[in-house]
Amino acid sequence: MEFTAEIRKATEPIYQKISKAVPEIEWPSHAPYIYEINRLKKEKNAVILAHNYQTPEIYHGISDFSADSLALAVEASKTKANIIVMCGVHFMAETAKLMSPNKKVLLPDMSAGCSLSSSITGEDVRNLKKKYPGVPVVSYVNTSADVKSETDICCTSANAVKIVNSLDVKKVIFLPDDYLAKYVASQTDVEIISWKGTCEVHEQFNDFEINEIRKNNPGIKVIAHPECPPDVIKASDFTGSTSGMIKYVKYNQPEKVMMVTECSMSDNVQVDNPNVKFIRPCNLCPHMKKITLPKILDCLRNETNEILMSNETIEKAKKSVERMAEIGR
Ligand code: 13P
Ligand code: SF4
């Protein structure tokens, strides 16, 4: 697409905002897409929801709402738009559809998965329920609709402890993230039966790396996502969801910070916090990175890659997400 003078002028304020996160040489290739996507979304009454791990040109250039997975699910239930384009991974688009079954929900790349979501099936959950009869199932929102259909209540990293405590029981099945389960177990008296799923991005971090970074950067604040292994969480100053981590930086304004999570988030948060120095871990989520401006434009223009589910699946799966949304953050 051509980078015309009109497009340069119209997108200049966006570029000024993100110039520290996007090299100038890349702008002529992004700007025409940003211009056309922003025009088309108005024409079609579409809303673009973006997860915090999306790249800066998506996060700052075209999204109407960017957030963690809990807030994306809630926003999907409230939007007045006709079309939701989910710039995130498949379970996020499915969750948006469950929250807004009458809307058209599009995912720019249908193969954008998640190692946690693919670690467990509905059949696995049915077997767990047979093994532990009567024990409620709490599923991380990073699961398929089939798993949600077998679930009593969902949770995200922002409310996992609150959801588990809300059930007022002695024992829960908590799946599929074994590390998040361990984190929750450290914060509650409820006994946790977990599953052996892990996030392929967060499992790569270790405490040795964090201790080395602390040695070389005295005074640095280390903030970690609860999908990280327990030794990493122990070595950190704060643990929270992606939005929890963003708030930590916004309100504490540390001189230096390391966000122990997916790499793009530091780029996005840097834009709004110019006085904070970010030490960047570079672990990218290969699924999140499948979402690109050309794919977003293509699916919005042609209304392709629609999330479709049977009414029966929607009815069964949405209850667990709605229960979570009622409890909130
Ligand atoms: P959040 O809900 O904290 O945004 O996390 C989602 C996710 O996939 C993290 O890897
Ligand atoms: Fe899934 Fe991990 Fe990617 Fe999040 S970062 S979408 S948990 S693979």
Side-chain angles (χ1 to χ4, degrees):
M1 286 173 85
E2 207 189 329
F3 185 44
T4 62
E6 186 194 348
I7 291 176
R8 179 191 292 273
K9 193 165 169 238
T11 58
E12 185 58 23
I14 301 174
Y15 188 63
Q16 283 314 318
K17 187 166 183 216
I18 60 171
S19 58
K20 288 215 166 58
V22 177
E24 199 172 350
I25 195 166
E26 286 180 15
W27 192 242
S29 63
H30 294 318
Y33 286 98
I34 290 175
Y35 179 82
E36 183 56 11
I37 291 167
N38 285 334
R39 189 194 66 74
L40 210 52
K41 77 180 182 193
K42 279 196 202 114
E43 188 183 293
K44 291 186 174 233
N45 188 25
V47 67
I48 299 189
L49 307 185
H51 185 259
N52 291 324
Y53 293 162
Q54 292 295 295
T55 48
E57 68 278 8
I58 294 173
Y59 184 95
H60 292 287
I62 56 157
S63 87
D64 298 292
F65 186 80
S66 45
D68 63 4
S69 29
L70 177 60
L72 290 177
V74 173
E75 185 63 21
S77 72
K78 293 196 301 205
T79 181
K80 300 262 183 307
N82 298 334
I83 298 174
I84 299 172
V85 180
M86 179 57 74
C87 296
V89 294
H90 195 272
F91 77 81
M92 294 176 179
E94 255 187 5
T95 306
K97 182 71 181 172
L98 295 176
M99 295 303 263
S100 252
N102 300 324
K103 301 256 146 100
K104 194 176 252 190
V105 178
L106 309 176
L107 178 64
D109 187 322
M110 288 300 225
S111 70
C114 169
S115 65
L116 282 169
S117 181
S118 60
S119 73
I120 191 159
T121 63
E123 180 66 25
D124 292 327
V125 188
R126 283 192 286 279
N127 287 335
L128 276 171
K129 290 203 282 195
K130 271 188 218 145
K131 194 168 167 196
Y132 302 102
V135 179
V137 177
V138 180
S139 293
Y140 199 26
V141 77
N142 299 37
T143 44
S144 64
D146 281 345
V147 167
K148 290 186 174 82
S149 299
E150 300 294 336
T151 292
D152 293 293
I153 186 163
C154 283
C155 73
T156 75
S157 59
N159 61 11
V161 177
K162 191 174 175 184
I163 297 283
V164 166
N165 286 337
S166 77
L167 296 174
D168 205 16
V169 292
K170 290 206 164 62
K171 209 191 266 186
V172 299
I173 298 169
F174 186 98
L175 49 89
D177 187 347
D178 194 31
Y179 290 148
L180 181 64
K182 286 194 165 72
Y183 174 70
V184 173
S186 76
Q187 308 288 312
T188 178
D189 292 332
V190 180
E191 187 188 331
I192 307 283
I193 298 159
S194 70
W195 183 254
K196 286 284 172 215
T198 49
C199 161
E200 67 187 89
V201 179
H202 291 91
E203 71 178 352
Q204 291 176 45
F205 295 107
N206 58 69
D207 58 349
F208 176 77
E209 182 187 1
I210 293 177
N211 293 335
E212 284 301 298
I213 282 174
R214 277 202 201 277
K215 256 191 240 156
N216 297 329
N217 298 275
I220 191 169
K221 293 293 178 198
V222 177
I223 61 179
H225 195 275
E227 288 170 11
C228 291
D231 58 344
V232 171
I233 291 181
K234 207 163 154 224
S236 304
D237 298 298
F238 171 80
T239 304
S241 77
T242 55
S243 291
M245 296 165 91
I246 294 174
K247 271 199 202 109
Y248 179 96
V249 173
K250 185 174 172 193
Y251 294 114
N252 292 289
Q253 290 290 300
E255 215 171 290
K256 264 191 197 177
V257 73
M258 175 182 173
M259 292 181 138
V260 190
T261 193
E262 212 264 358
C263 196
S264 289
M265 209 167 89
S266 297
D267 297 338
N268 293 332
V269 185
Q270 173 79 85
V271 169
D272 296 322
N273 296 276
N275 299 324
V276 178
K277 185 164 169 32
F278 287 79
I279 302 298
R280 289 180 167 80
C282 229
N283 292 346
L284 289 170
C285 172
H287 311 286
M288 289 279 177
K289 298 291 102 98
K290 285 185 174 167
I291 308 301
T292 61
L293 290 171
K295 289 183 198 170
I296 297 166
L297 177 59
D298 187 64
C299 93
L300 179 59
R301 186 182 271 155
N302 301 310
E303 298 185 24
T304 45
N305 290 1
E306 183 176 357
I307 301 290
L308 296 170
M309 280 181 265
S310 69
N311 288 342
E312 196 195 337
T313 304
I314 291 177
E315 280 314 307
K316 276 177 87 181
K318 77 174 186 187
K319 289 193 189 95
S320 58
V321 188
E322 284 171 351
R323 276 187 206 121
M324 166 185 80
E326 272 163 33
I327 293 180
R329 200 169 283 270

